[in-house]
Amino acid sequence: MFGLRRWYHENKEKIWIGILVILAIIFFIQIVNNFNKNKNNNSSDKSSITQNTINNEISGKLEGTTSLISGSNSVNRNLEKHTLTIDTFIKYCNEGQVENAYKLLTDECKEEVFPSLESFKNKYYNNVFKTYKTYSIQNWLGNTYKLKLTEDALTTGKVSSNSSYLQEYVTVVEKDSEYKLNINNYIGRTSINKNTTVNGITVNIESKETFMDYSEYTVRIQNTTDKTILLDNGKRTDTIYLLDENNVEEYVNTGEIIYSNLKLIPRENKKYTFKFSNSYSNTRVMRYLVFKNIIMDFDEYNETLDKNNYNKFTKITVSV
């Protein structure tokens, strides 16, 4: 006991410094834990407040603010404006204000999907809004939202099962401080404007139209040679394709191509649309559009008896 007491008196300064350091560390850890807890609570409260606020302002139901594809939270300054714009569109349709609903569409959506009010009414409104619809909304990816449109039991007098609904994807686009919509699974237009020239052929990728289940590339091709060329002879299905960042090929929908139209006479300039079946939610990043079997002298090819063994092809690769 005397030895312990003696050891304490000889080292008491070090002992108390150690105790104070340990207490300071424990106190610091508690402060950090409380800060993180409050931060998480505030974030959760903010998300809850945002969702509750939106649900109070729209006629439909917001089914959470987390993207179904990326898993990220979509609480941002635009979420409320997005959902209110979609809600206004659905209200116009439910109230029979077809022209006002049509005005909420982007110019691109009108050009690509509904070029006239009459086409919008016949192809969309008369099919989707034959009866009054209630809806729920969930962020899908980015500015695109998944809608479930259901017949309203109070209006129709029918009780529908939960599985009986129409599914729609709507993308909100901000332009000139206004919010417009792309509907009917049309996501939007991307301007590309990239080109390359090989052996007198200039290929310019002008733009891409993205739909939920496929994409369409608008391509302008100019033949500056003195010979008629053929972009592809249609003998194979793997000669026009997109190439992604991992060098994996996505082949063109050959059923959409009129191969006789792929012929360009000298000095001719043509615009084409090539369709690819890659989903919007697919995470693949496309890098190039490739034309693998361009025939530089169509007359020579046409006079060849054994066309299956013809091998005088030119390859052109263009960035997208």
Side-chain angles (χ1 to χ4, degrees), residues 40-93:
N40 291 333
N41 288 338
N42 289 337
S43 177
S44 176
D45 291 343
K46 182 179 179 181
S47 175
S48 177
I49 291 170
T50 301
Q51 185 167 339
N52 290 335
T53 300
I54 293 172
N55 274 324
N56 289 333
E57 292 182 344
I58 64 176
S59 59
K61 178 185 177 183
L62 178 63
E63 294 186 338
T65 59
T66 301
S67 168
L68 290 171
I69 299 300
S70 67
S72 61
N73 198 290
S74 299
V75 175
N76 57 53
R77 63 183 181 85
N78 292 324
L79 180 63
E80 186 173 356
K81 293 177 181 178
H82 288 179
T83 52
L84 287 174
T85 303
I86 295 170
D87 186 67
T88 300
F89 174 79
I90 293 175
K91 285 179 178 177
Y92 281 151
C93 290

Side-chain angles (χ1 to χ4, degrees), residues 132-301:
Y132 190 96
K133 293 294 190 297
T134 58
Y135 74 94
S136 62
I137 183 172
Q138 170 76 60
N139 182 255
W140 180 255
L141 182 64
N143 293 343
T144 300
Y145 296 82
K146 178 181 178 181
L147 299 184
K148 292 181 180 179
L149 296 161
T150 311
E151 286 190 343
D152 180 44
L154 294 177
T155 304
T156 63
K158 301 177 182 178
V159 179
S160 301
S161 66
N162 291 332
S163 60
S164 178
Y165 61 84
L166 293 174
Q167 187 167 286
E168 160 75 309
Y169 292 91
V170 177
T171 302
V172 186
V173 178
E174 182 180 2
K175 188 173 183 180
D176 299 328
S177 300
E178 286 188 319
Y179 290 87
K180 298 283 188 176
L181 302 178
N182 292 328
I183 65 169
N184 204 40
N185 299 327
Y186 173 63
I187 306 302
R189 177 179 298 165
T190 304
S191 179
I192 299 177
N193 290 323
K194 293 183 179 179
N195 64 79
T196 191
T197 299
V198 176
N199 296 337
I201 302 174
T202 298
V203 180
N204 180 48
I205 314 296
E206 293 186 345
S207 61
K208 178 179 74 169
E209 305 292 346
T210 303
F211 294 79
M212 183 54 63
D213 298 320
Y214 65 92
S215 60
E216 293 180 341
Y217 286 78
T218 299
V219 183
R220 183 173 291 279
I221 301 177
Q222 184 175 12
N223 175 15
T224 64
T225 73
D226 58 359
K227 296 183 182 295
T228 296
I229 67 169
L230 185 66
L231 296 176
D232 196 277
N233 59 13
K235 298 292 184 181
R236 295 170 56 182
T237 61
D238 61 350
T239 52
I240 300 177
Y241 55 88
L242 291 170
L243 196 64
D244 71 14
E245 59 186 345
N246 296 314
N247 290 324
V248 177
E249 299 170 357
E250 175 75 33
Y251 303 118
V252 72
N253 288 13
T254 55
E256 303 282 334
I257 296 177
I258 302 174
Y259 282 91
S260 60
N261 193 40
L262 297 185
K263 185 170 61 176
L264 288 87
I265 63 174
R267 314 302 170 186
E268 187 173 15
N269 188 321
K270 278 187 180 180
K271 181 182 286 189
Y272 298 95
T273 299
F274 295 101
K275 183 177 179 180
F276 298 87
S277 300
N278 52 319
S279 170
Y280 169 62
S281 58
N282 196 311
T283 57
R284 292 171 65 186
V285 178
M286 299 302 174
R287 297 297 190 193
Y288 304 100
L289 175 60
V290 181
F291 297 88
K292 187 177 179 180
N293 278 12
I294 297 177
I295 296 170
M296 299 298 297
D297 189 340
F298 175 75
D299 293 330
E300 178 189 68
Y301 169 78

Side-chain angles (χ1 to χ4, degrees), residues 113-115 118-128 184:
V113 188
F114 306 112
E118 197 65 23
S119 66
F120 168 72
K121 184 176 181 180
N122 293 333
K123 295 179 182 179
Y124 185 84
Y125 173 78
N126 288 342
N127 290 324
V128 178
N184 204 40

